Amino acid sequence: MTIQRLHPGPRMSQAVIHGDTVYLAGQVAETAQDTEGQTREILATIDSLLAEAGTDKSRILAATVYLTDIADFAAMNRAWEAWVDPANPPARATVEARLAAPRYKVEIVVTAGR
């Protein structure tokens, strides 16, 4: 089965497609915003990557959300709930974790079908 990599870099690809499954790398915001704003930016990036891979948010199978402060859970959820396809919500876990740089408040990883 063919493996396709989108936006490969020296360390990772932004997306890997294997058969009818799309794996996205952890996505973080590029701009300094609060948790809700970073989440909105990340979800827009996820939409773009999924479209490039030939799928969309209605086909997300699983998502993992990493927050630097679990107290921001409600702020992240406001953006998530405005974005997620209510007819097709994925399995999701949210955990508190230290992220790669202090400016990151949220990181989201998704796996989707095509």
Side-chain angles (χ1 to χ4, degrees):
M1 198 173 283
T2 304
I3 296 173
Q4 180 184 1
R5 298 174 197 286
L6 303 179
H7 309 287
R11 188 176 321 137
M12 63 185 205
S13 296
Q14 289 302 308
V16 175
I17 305 163
H18 182 247
D20 285 330
T21 306
V22 179
Y23 304 89
L24 297 190
Q27 300 299 312
V28 294
E30 295 301 320
T31 59
Q33 300 180 62
D34 63 10
T35 298
E36 188 172 350
Q38 284 194 14
T39 303
R40 279 193 306 269
E41 182 180 328
I42 292 163
L43 296 173
T45 300
I46 288 170
D47 279 335
S48 294
L49 286 167
L50 290 174
E52 188 174 354
T55 191
D56 61 52
K57 65 186 172 187
S58 73
R59 309 273 301 159
I60 295 174
L61 304 169
T64 303
V65 179
Y66 299 94
L67 295 173
T68 57
D69 186 346
I70 202 68
D72 290 335
F73 186 71
M76 177 277 300
N77 269 330
R78 280 192 296 275
W80 178 272
E81 290 169 4
W83 172 83
V84 74
D85 181 344
N88 298 291
R92 191 188 92 177
T94 303
V95 297
E96 183 178 63
R98 188 175 350 183
L99 301 181
R103 69 181 181 272
Y104 301 137
K105 298 178 182 305
V106 184
E107 183 169 351
I108 302 175
V109 179
V110 302
T111 301
R114 287 204 298 178

